[in-house]
Amino acid sequence: MTTLAILGASGHGKVVADAALATGLWDKVAFYDDAWPAKTKNGSSDIVGSTASLFSLTDKPAVIVAIGNNNVRLAKQQELAAKGFAVATVVHPAATVSSSAVIERGTVVMAGAVINADVKIGHACIINSNAVVEHDCKLAAAVHISPGTCLAGGVEVGQGSWLGIGVSVIQLKSIGKNVMVGAGAVVVTDFPDNVTAVGVPAKIIK
Ligand SMILES: CC(C)(COP(=O)(O)OP(=O)(O)OC[C@H]1O[C@@H](n2cnc3c(N)ncnc32)[C@H](O)[C@@H]1OP(=O)(O)O)[C@@H](O)C(=O)NCCC(=O)NCCS
């Protein structure tokens, strides 16, 4: 029995579990979350321990972090890797990924996503259901591309940024680090680090 450990027993964690099991690479998932022992199930899978119990395992399973907060997800992944855990990459078999795309460890690609030629995706990213990442895009670590969001060719997204559900970004635009782009926005200009932008066309509100 090959088990994938998932840190973070969230709704997102359930989707990661479904994707992981659909690959056939693992037979079972085991969640670790600080809600344990009060909470022992996430969907149909067991929560078997806390964050500390995962870190203390001597027989280290493959692991992926399913924490929604981008920077926390990356930090936990880096801590696990430093402890000698093998960090998995999960690509749902119903996603379409170009053979020339590069996807780093700890990233999940959900069902229906399309990742096209020469795309580079960093560690601990989430490419959510039905997202489209067109040719030559470059995503740094810990980026979340929400369901149905489309990046045209050559878009760059900085570390820790989150593009909400149904966002469109036109070609060759650059989005900085730790940027939040609100649901449904259309990005037609570059954005600097640490801003929130919403609307059509997207404008900075914070
Ligand atoms: C952008 C966002 C982060 C702002 O959240 P917030 O900081 O709590 O901001 P508020 O809800 O206080 O809204 C601030 C203003 O922006 C407007 N606004 C918020 N989100 C907006 C959006 N997506 N599009 C257009 N306007 C938006 C609000 O109406 C409000 O306007 P007002 O000041 O005129 O009343 C949030 O609304 C959002 O879009 N989150 C993305 C959620 C998502 O995609 N989830 C997918 C999970 S996989």
Side-chain angles (χ1 to χ4, degrees), residues 128 144 146-147 162 164-165 180 182-183 196 198-199 205-206:
N128 227 317
H144 180 179
S146 293
W162 177 16
I165 196 160
M180 173 75 225
T196 298
V198 299
I205 56 162
K206 283 180 197 166

Side-chain angles (χ1 to χ4, degrees), residues 43-69:
S44 57
S45 297
D46 293 330
I47 306 172
V48 300
S50 63
T51 307
S53 31
L54 173 62
F55 274 88
S56 65
L57 292 177
T58 46
D59 193 7
K60 296 181 171 62
V63 67
I64 193 156
V65 183
I67 294 172
N69 181 296

Side-chain angles (χ1 to χ4, degrees), residues 5-45:
I6 302 180
L7 179 58
S10 55
H12 170 59
K14 288 185 208 174
V15 186
V16 173
D18 273 357
L21 294 172
T23 66
L25 295 171
W26 300 278
D27 312 300
K28 196 179 161 202
V29 300
F31 282 102
Y32 292 81
D33 194 291
D34 290 338
W36 181 87
K39 189 177 165 194
T40 56
K41 282 274 180 195
N42 193 34
S44 57
S45 297

